[in-house]
Amino acid sequence: MCLSGLALPGGSCGGELVPRHQTAWVIRMRWKWGRWEHGPMSVRSAGSSRPGSEDLSRLAELASEAGNQVARQHVVSQVLLRQFATPVRHASGLQVQPYDLLYPERHCRTKPTRAVGWIKDFVPYASASLEALWAEVEQKLPPVFHAVPQGTALGDPHALAVLRDLIALHYVRSQHYRDTFHRIFKEAHAEQRRWLLAEGQQLLRAATLQRTGLDTPGRQALAVRADELLSTMVESYGNGSLLRVRIEDSFRTAREWVAGVGLEILQAEEGEFLIGDNPAMTLRTEDEQLIYGMALGDAHTAVLPLGPRHTLALGAADGAGSVPRAWVDRMNVLQVKTARRRVFTRPGSPLRRFIGQLIPQWQADQSATRLSP
């Protein structure tokens, strides 16, 4: 279902925005050929076609690149932020207007796109080659962005493919994805360890006996063996190499998935769009509620602002259309609600008051998240 056809719950701009945690990884262990298959290859992106053993191969390939690190890693592409940038008096180059949701009392001056939308060591392992992968998409965007307001992008298969890649890139290279990765890994690791010491206890004993010739009496000895079994996976998680492999593979998977669905280029009839620091979001409606943050394959659509006047949305077929002011406001609420700290507008935008009205609820949501178990 496309954005323009997604039923708006609760009237023109009513209803409730509800977060939905996605389960993006599973840990699998199996007994094969007299040994346990385990380690980083057991952690896979849901829906990925790559066998887990390829994770180990990729980790080995990246070992020589471990120190090739880019510190400033943009989670919002500069080329995308430039669609919101304009010249400003007494400042050089194009500027965007940032808003700090955590400290709204601090007046933020306009800034160049290179100065915002980045996180230090977002991926802390071998990120230089990952940045090169993102650049393959980003360097194709300037002529495509020029074609969007001209109305010619829809008839250009290459332009549509690049815009689809842009959605996949921001869906995966996001704080939402990274947070989900950490949460699911910790949950899955704890569950795997629990299983080894409970239902899988006999298999763990048999594996230890076959490998070492020694029995494993007592729960403490079993716990030591379970931790040894999971140690490679834990080490790869701890040094960031597992995130590096997963984010690369998940981008390729998301890219393939997005290539098979329609893309809508939507224009605001009134008002203008803003963009947050977590800009690509998945949406679906359930029981008169607008749910966000689910896995890509479970969504009715995924949206990404493309500038003050345009937004992208996945749907059943390629198309162009317009959305009313209520939908523009709704998408702006979503951008603020899902932002991790900052949102951005064009300089001189009338959205300052709109953003200010949403900040107390954003801060309350952040406090509730920190207090939740």
Side-chain angles (χ1 to χ4, degrees), residues 143-144 146-157 159-160 265:
V144 175
H146 179 73
V148 168
Q150 301 298 319
T152 58
L154 191 62
D156 183 347
L160 292 179
I265 302 173

Side-chain angles (χ1 to χ4, degrees), residues 87-103:
V88 174
R89 290 182 62 186
H90 310 303
S92 61
L94 298 177
Q95 305 274 309
V96 293
Q97 177 63 62
Y99 297 84
D100 189 332
L101 304 179
L102 187 60
Y103 299 106

Side-chain angles (χ1 to χ4, degrees), residues 31 37 56 63 67 121 165 186 203 211 257 278 323 343 350 358:
W31 178 250
E37 291 188 342
L56 279 184
D121 294 329
D165 286 348
K186 292 173 183 177
L203 286 174
R211 185 172 182 178
W257 191 91
N278 198 49
V323 287
V343 296
L358 297 173

Side-chain angles (χ1 to χ4, degrees), residues 318-369:
D318 296 340
S322 60
V323 287
R325 178 63 177 265
W327 259 118
V328 175
D329 290 344
R330 193 65 162 162
M331 293 303 102
N332 286 341
V333 169
L334 180 68
Q335 286 292 314
V336 174
K337 194 172 184 69
T338 59
R340 296 310 166 95
R341 180 162 176 178
R342 292 179 175 85
V343 296
F344 311 95
T345 68
R346 65 175 179 85
S349 169
L351 290 174
R352 177 182 295 274
R353 183 179 179 185
F354 178 91
I355 295 168
Q357 292 172 339
L358 297 173
I359 287 176
Q361 184 59 55
W362 180 89
Q363 293 178 336
D365 291 345
Q366 297 301 306
S367 297
T369 299

Side-chain angles (χ1 to χ4, degrees), residues 200-213:
Q201 187 177 131
Q202 294 305 316
L203 286 174
L204 181 58
R205 280 201 171 101
T208 303
L209 181 63
Q210 182 169 340
R211 185 172 182 178
T212 67

